[in-house]
């Protein structure tokens, strides 16, 4: 790869559209759910699973369930995505409102 091709590839990566939204983590063994929001849904599962594997997740209930039942009992699903252009102005408020909504719908704890 030439230096110009590399620069173009890096620029394309930085300009890619990343899906933002609300996700749910579910423990199949207990049925417990946790709802979170992320500006980049493509990367959130890797980040969460890494933290849980290390034993340092800030949500004690989620970490305890992970420790008790193991990685294979957990799944992550995207439950709502947001338009990137709308997010530029109201992202934090929108994330908080929609996360609270989905926590109530699923009787889940916020991540």
């Amino acid at each position: 790869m030439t230096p110009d091709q590399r620069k173009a590839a890096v620029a394309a990566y930085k300009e890619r559209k990343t899906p933002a939204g609300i996700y749910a983590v579910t423990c199949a063994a207990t049925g417990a759910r946790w709802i979170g929001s992320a500006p980049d849904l493509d990367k959130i599962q890797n980040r969460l699973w890494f933290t849980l594997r290390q034993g340092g997740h800030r949500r004690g209930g989620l970490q305890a369930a992970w420790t008790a039942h193991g990685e294979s009992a957990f799944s992550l699903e995207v439950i709502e995505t947001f338009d990137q252009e709308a997010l530029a102005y109201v992202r934090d408020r929108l994330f908080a409102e929609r996360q609270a909504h989905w926590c109530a719908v699923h009787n889940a704890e916020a991540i």
Side-chain angles (χ1 to χ4, degrees), residues 23-42:
Y23 62 91
V25 174
T26 304
C27 176
T30 64
R33 294 186 83 159
W34 296 266
I35 307 292
S37 62
D40 188 346
L41 291 170
D42 288 342

Side-chain angles (χ1 to χ4, degrees), residues 93-111:
R93 189 189 76 207
L94 182 61
F95 276 174
E97 288 173 0
R98 299 308 295 162
Q99 183 175 0
H101 165 78
W102 287 109
C103 282
V105 166
H106 293 286
N107 192 26
E109 182 179 340
I111 293 179

Side-chain angles (χ1 to χ4, degrees), residues 38-78:
D40 188 346
L41 291 170
D42 288 342
K43 296 178 182 169
I44 193 64
Q45 183 170 347
N46 286 337
R47 190 175 83 201
L48 279 173
W49 271 218
F50 176 81
T51 305
L52 290 162
R53 283 185 203 116
Q54 300 305 311
H57 197 276
R58 60 188 171 91
R59 290 291 182 194
L62 175 56
Q63 185 65 61
W66 179 276
T67 302
H69 303 290
E71 181 175 347
S72 62
F74 285 81
S75 63
L76 183 140
E77 72 174 298
V78 173

